[in-house]
Amino acid sequence: MIPNQYKITTSNVNVDYGNKRALHDINLQIEEKEVTALIGPSGCGKSTFIRCLNRMNDLIEGCKVEGKIMIDEVDINSPDTDIVELRARIGMVFQKPNPFPKSIYDNVAYGPRIHGLAKSNEDLDNIVTKSLKRAGLWNEVEDRLDASGLSLSGGQQQRLCIARAIAVNPDILLMDEPCSALDPIATAVIEELINELKERYTIVIVTHSMQQAARLSEKTAYFHLGKMIEYDITSNIFTNPKHEMTEAYISGRIG
Amino acid sequence: MLTIYLIILLGLSFVSYFYGKRLIRRRVYEQKISQHSRDSYHGLYLSLYLIIPSIILTLIWLASSPNIIDSLLKSKIKNSLPDLSLGEINILKSKVISAYDGILPVDSEQMEIFVGFYNSANIISTNFIIIISALVSVSFFLFALNRIRVRFNARSKVENILKFSMILASCVAIITTIGIVLSLIIETIEFFKIIKITDFLFGLQWSPQIALREDQVAGEGLFGAIPIFIGTILITLIAMFIAVPIGLLSAIYLSEYSKPKIRAIAKPMLEVLAGIPTVVYGFFAALTVAPFLRNSGASVGLSLSSESALAAGLVMGIMIIPLISSLSDDVINAVPQSLREGSAALGSTQSETVKLVILPAALPGIVSAILLALSRAIGETMIVVMAAGVAANLTFNPFESVTAVTVQIVVLLIGDQEFDSAKTLAAFALGFTLFIITLLLNVLSIYIVRKYREQYD
Ligand SMILES: Nc1ncnc2c1ncn2[C@@H]1O[C@H](COP(=O)(O)OP(=O)(O)OP(=O)(O)O)[C@@H](O)[C@H]1O
Ligand SMILES: [Mg+2]
């Protein structure tokens, strides 16, 4: 068997919520240190798919995931896989910001603390500061790190969650509409961050903005009604889509 | 009589609802302009005006008339028998009322006069209130009827009446509470006129068995409350020691770890545990737990008395487990799922998530659940009577028999009592102290919850 050169490979992934099928036979290969964008109309299963990659769907009652998902040659759905260890390597930014009801500082320090990433308090301060800076939130919160994460605005909370996710230095970063509540300036900061991160990380991003997908990603997958319609190099998808549904979507006729 | 009147009133207000609706229909039809409020508001307006003022009036009268009639009776007795003392008048008055209720026989001519007086006073009072209330009812009804117009804003009037009724209802609750507290305070002050407050608060001996008859001198007993408060504290501590860890752990298990099927069975079962009457717990404690403890104590060389703080505390702990676990389970469940996901996605184990995210977020609710359970334990009487005893021993030893404040209150008030004896008043003093303690606990819980909120929300 030739070694799999992909970072993430999914084969025949089916997801059911109860007896309603949300994803049908998704086969996707995600390259290391690339940005892969998932696009598609609302409700097509983008979040469901991205949540399969760190087994977040385990937490949803009645959600059943079938098929094989390999990350670094390991089948993440196999019973032998240590899911906690796996999730520590996969950062996730959720579609809805979900800061902990703790201080801004404690939110960002949460991951480094549980994994013992900081050797001293100073170290931890550095990690927190750096993460907040990279998420473009530092200037707004530097004088109130003790304030609750919930006291921030929606867009600030979104960036706090990004800072929280990158604070543990994940290998893979899953971002579900990370800029949905951000203004153009904050969006630019995050996009810059993503560009910088892809030097080292593999990034999967869900977005409703075609321009963002086009600007950021190497590959783009188009989802429709729980099926993956097309997956290709981003420029191909946007300039020369093979499937007419993809074309309809990117030109604004669906969705 | 009054009942019939009230039923008629209710029926009339029902009828006037439909009358109001029909009236406004007809007016709209005749005048052909669009009405301001919907038909039913006009109907409600009429019927509420008919019934509410007169009902309130009747209730006030019902609450105050017994006192008025009583004092009328007293002055009547005083006038006809001028050389009776105040106490004798009161006793005679009670006899008259008992005779009126048919409990005592009417044995003398004088008695017959008083009972007759009391009877007619009652009848007059009832007739009086019915007439007044009916007059009020009719005038309010006519007033309302006169105001019904097509453009009349009946809706906001009805809304106001409803709002007013709600304010009134909450006032009743508040005023009752204030009344109870006031009477507690007053009687407590009376008590401290007989017994020094320092003797009560710091005295180490409790033996109030005095003043069974009026001619005995009060003040001979010992009213040092320390032993019984220690008893309450000891039992409560044992109970909390059992209930808090077990209740919390089972709540965490139920809400975070168990499968939905297990939860669906286990939670109702826990709640059934909460529904068992405390007497049942009491004899369970006295007949099963206490002997068991004594036997097992004996087998390891410990001597336990047959009634012990340990037995009472244990069973009381079991009794409040469901309170803690059920309430905590609810608050833990209310923690948003997204926080669990956020924590899991950062690679924390389930127990880390519980410890670092769920419990801190649920803490205010958990604290108030625990404090609620604590107040419940402090106020519990039955189990203590049956399992810990009534002897006021000053001891911290859980193997000995102790007593609790609530139990002593019961003991003090059992049987015929002189109302103003130190013994009876002591019950109020104890009740008041207990009330202060639970109040402080509640304030504390509010404070903790606030403090936590300020930090995180
Ligand atoms: N927890 C759930 N329980 C039941 N059905 C769900 C659940 N989450 C998602 N679904 C269903 O799965 C389908 C895909 O949902 P998903 O959240 O993946 O869509 P999406 O592509 O992320 O949409 P959006 O762009 O609006 O976020 C939808 O039809 C949705 O109704
Ligand atoms: Mg989504």
Side-chain angles (χ1 to χ4, degrees):
Chain A
M1 226 170 80
I2 39 163
N4 191 338
Q5 76 273 35
Y6 298 109
K7 185 76 175 170
I8 303 172
T9 313
T10 72
S11 354
N12 302 326
V13 170
N14 288 304
V15 179
D16 298 296
Y17 289 111
N19 46 22
K20 181 172 160 284
R21 180 144 290 194
L23 284 181
H24 305 262
D25 277 331
I26 308 294
N27 292 293
L28 199 74
Q29 296 81 35
I30 293 171
E31 207 97 44
E32 189 162 11
K33 294 178 186 158
E34 272 191 5
V35 176
T36 304
L38 308 180
I39 60 170
S42 187
C44 67
K46 306 178 296 294
S47 297
T48 305
F49 177 73
I50 205 173
R51 290 166 58 94
C52 289
L53 303 181
N54 63 347
R55 281 187 39 193
M56 262 309 122
N57 290 329
D58 290 11
L59 272 62
I60 293 179
E61 214 169 285
C63 181
K64 209 166 89 235
V65 180
E66 285 162 5
K68 206 163 165 191
I69 300 173
M70 306 287 285
I71 295 184
D72 289 334
E73 322 272 310
V74 176
D75 180 357
I76 67 165
N77 287 330
S78 111
D80 306 330
T81 310
D82 180 358
I83 184 65
V84 170
E85 196 266 345
L86 178 85
R87 285 182 187 144
R89 289 195 292 120
I90 306 179
M92 180 160 207
V93 178
F94 291 83
Q95 180 163 7
K96 266 190 274 165
N98 56 350
F100 300 129
K102 297 177 185 296
S103 71
I104 294 172
Y105 184 95
D106 287 340
N107 261 284
V108 183
Y110 186 87
R113 274 189 183 134
I114 56 175
H115 298 301
L117 298 184
K119 283 164 200 66
S120 62
N121 282 343
E122 222 167 87
D123 232 7
L124 191 60
D125 289 350
N126 283 338
I127 294 178
V128 171
T129 313
K130 194 169 135 223
S131 309
L132 284 171
K133 277 186 180 149
R134 292 167 90 191
L137 189 60
W138 177 252
N139 290 338
E140 287 153 74
V141 300
E142 65 180 314
D143 50 354
R144 51 168 174 151
L145 291 176
D146 291 337
S148 164
L150 295 173
S151 69
L152 298 176
S153 77
Q156 288 172 330
Q157 291 189 5
Q158 211 161 28
R159 281 173 286 159
L160 179 63
C161 292
I162 294 174
R164 185 176 73 183
I166 60 178
V168 290
N169 256 318
D171 197 17
I172 299 171
L173 194 55
L174 310 175
M175 306 178 101
D176 199 345
E177 299 186 37
C179 303
S180 59
L182 300 189
D183 62 45
I185 297 168
T187 304
V189 172
I190 298 303
E191 289 188 5
E192 204 177 300
L193 172 72
I194 292 173
N195 272 323
E196 174 205 323
L197 291 176
K198 76 175 171 194
E199 308 273 309
R200 284 178 293 141
Y201 303 166
T202 307
I203 296 173
V204 183
I205 180 171
V206 174
T207 177
H208 278 292
S209 153
M210 305 301 151
Q211 290 91 332
Q212 189 172 54
R215 277 194 303 267
L216 287 177
S217 65
E218 274 76 33
K219 302 261 173 61
T220 297
Y222 173 64
F223 281 67
H224 188 90
L225 290 180
K227 297 201 173 75
M228 194 182 73
I229 307 296
E230 194 168 344
Y231 177 49
D232 204 343
I233 295 171
T234 300
S235 54
N236 285 352
I237 293 269
F238 283 101
T239 54
N240 187 16
K242 292 193 186 60
H243 207 286
E244 61 184 274
M245 278 209 274
T246 317
E247 202 205 330
Y249 181 71
I250 58 177
S251 59
R253 272 178 282 139
I254 315 181
Chain B
M1 182 75 169
L2 199 61
T3 327
I4 297 172
Y5 166 70
L6 287 178
I7 291 174
I8 291 174
L9 199 64
L10 212 66
L12 281 179
S13 92
F14 199 64
V15 172
S16 66
Y17 171 74
F18 292 102
Y19 179 66
K21 271 175 88 162
R22 257 197 48 194
L23 193 70
I24 192 70
R25 271 303 60 209
R26 208 171 60 224
R27 296 253 169 100
V28 169
Y29 179 74
E30 284 164 7
Q31 302 178 12
K32 305 211 168 9
I33 42 180
S34 76
Q35 69 205 92
H36 179 282
S37 305
R38 290 211 319 274
D39 297 352
S40 57
Y41 281 110
H42 289 275
L44 268 178
Y45 178 67
L46 263 192
S47 72
L48 289 177
Y49 262 65
L50 176 82
I51 197 161
I52 293 218
S54 56
I55 287 280
I56 291 175
L57 199 72
T58 314
L59 288 181
I60 293 174
W61 182 257
L62 282 181
S64 54
S65 67
N67 275 333
I68 298 173
I69 297 177
D70 267 23
S71 51
L72 281 178
L73 179 62
K74 259 200 240 174
S75 59
K76 167 94 180 163
I77 294 174
K78 198 171 178 179
N79 285 342
S80 43
L81 303 163
D83 34 272
L84 285 184
S85 78
L86 205 64
E88 286 165 326
I89 291 181
N90 275 334
I91 293 172
L92 189 55
K93 188 200 79 187
S94 316
K95 275 190 186 158
V96 170
I97 294 176
S98 304
Y100 169 77
D101 291 336
I103 300 167
L104 288 180
V106 183
D107 46 12
S108 69
E109 201 168 313
Q110 199 176 37
M111 198 68 173
E112 206 177 307
I113 295 174
F114 290 144
V115 172
F117 174 79
Y118 189 70
N119 185 25
S120 54
N122 266 316
I123 291 174
I124 291 171
S125 149
T126 312
N127 288 340
F128 177 71
I129 185 55
I130 289 179
I131 290 167
I132 294 288
S133 150
L135 279 178
V136 167
S137 205
V138 168
S139 39
F140 270 88
F141 177 76
L142 289 178
F143 171 76
L145 195 65
N146 195 29
R147 280 173 78 181
I148 287 196
R149 303 262 186 293
V150 179
R151 297 301 306 159
F152 174 61
N153 184 353
R155 169 159 36 86
S156 70
K157 288 281 181 300
V158 169
E159 293 292 330
N160 280 342
I161 296 173
L162 293 181
K163 195 173 82 189
F164 173 73
S165 326
M166 281 170 229
I167 293 173
L168 209 68
S170 37
C171 283
V172 168
I174 294 168
I175 290 171
T176 322
T177 316
I178 293 176
I180 291 175
V181 173
L182 271 185
S183 84
L184 268 182
I185 292 176
I186 291 169
E187 303 298 343
T188 306
I189 291 172
E190 283 302 309
F191 174 70
F192 288 136
K193 281 183 189 155
I194 308 175
I195 306 289
K196 269 209 295 264
I197 184 162
T198 45
D199 288 354
F200 174 74
L201 287 181
F202 306 113
L204 298 182
Q205 269 204 327
W206 178 265
S207 49
Q209 300 307 329
I210 50 141
L212 286 173
R213 294 188 313 276
E214 213 182 337
D215 51 337
Q216 274 180 328
V217 193
E220 274 172 1
L222 291 162
F223 289 93
I226 294 276
I228 55 177
F229 276 98
I230 295 288
T232 292
I233 291 170
L234 186 63
I235 296 171
T236 308
L237 276 184
I238 297 172
M240 296 311 281
F241 205 70
I242 307 275
V244 170
I246 296 182
L248 255 185
L249 288 177
S250 66
I252 293 172
Y253 170 73
L254 280 183
S255 54
E256 296 297 314
Y257 290 88
S258 73
K259 295 208 173 63
K261 265 187 200 153
I262 296 181
R263 188 186 144 82
I265 299 170
K267 190 152 193 222
M269 269 170 60
L270 267 177
E271 275 158 9
V272 166
L273 209 58
I276 297 175
T278 56
V279 198
V280 178
Y281 280 109
F283 62 68
F284 172 64
L287 302 180
T288 315
V289 177
F292 170 77
L293 285 178
R294 199 181 43 195
N295 292 340
S296 39
S299 65
V300 295
L302 283 172
S303 75
L304 269 71
S305 54
S306 57
E307 289 171 328
S308 68
L310 188 61
L314 266 175
V315 175
M316 199 192 278
I318 293 170
M319 178 190 82
I320 55 183
I321 285 173
L323 200 67
I324 294 184
S325 72
S326 185
L327 288 175
S328 306
D329 175 69
D330 289 342
V331 291
I332 292 175
N333 257 320
V335 174
Q337 180 69 9
S338 67
L339 294 184
R340 294 184 183 86
E341 294 184 347
S343 173
L346 286 165
S348 38
T349 63
Q350 202 167 4
S351 67
E352 282 167 341
T353 303
V354 168
K355 197 173 68 196
L356 301 174
V357 177
I358 311 282
L359 287 185
L363 193 67
I366 292 176
V367 168
S368 36
I370 291 176
L371 287 173
L372 198 67
L374 190 63
S375 318
R376 175 86 193 271
I378 291 176
E380 174 52 38
T381 318
M382 245 353 168
I383 296 176
V384 187
V385 184
M386 296 172 94
V390 290
N393 294 328
L394 178 57
T395 175
F396 284 102
N397 183 351
F399 302 144
E400 279 181 38
S401 106
V402 295
T403 189
V405 179
T406 47
V407 173
Q408 287 310 309
I409 294 179
V410 175
V411 172
L412 289 171
L413 294 180
I414 283 174
D416 285 335
Q417 299 294 331
E418 263 297 296
F419 189 72
D420 40 9
S421 75
K423 199 179 155 193
T424 317
L425 290 175
F428 285 93
L430 287 180
F432 184 65
T433 322
L434 212 52
F435 166 73
I436 294 289
I437 291 175
T438 14
L439 188 72
L440 287 180
L441 282 176
N442 285 340
V443 171
L444 183 72
S445 87
I446 292 170
Y447 172 75
I448 292 175
V449 171
R450 282 259 172 80
K451 188 165 176 217
Y452 178 88
R453 287 257 162 84
E454 270 165 18
Q455 225 168 327
Y456 288 131
D457 260 341

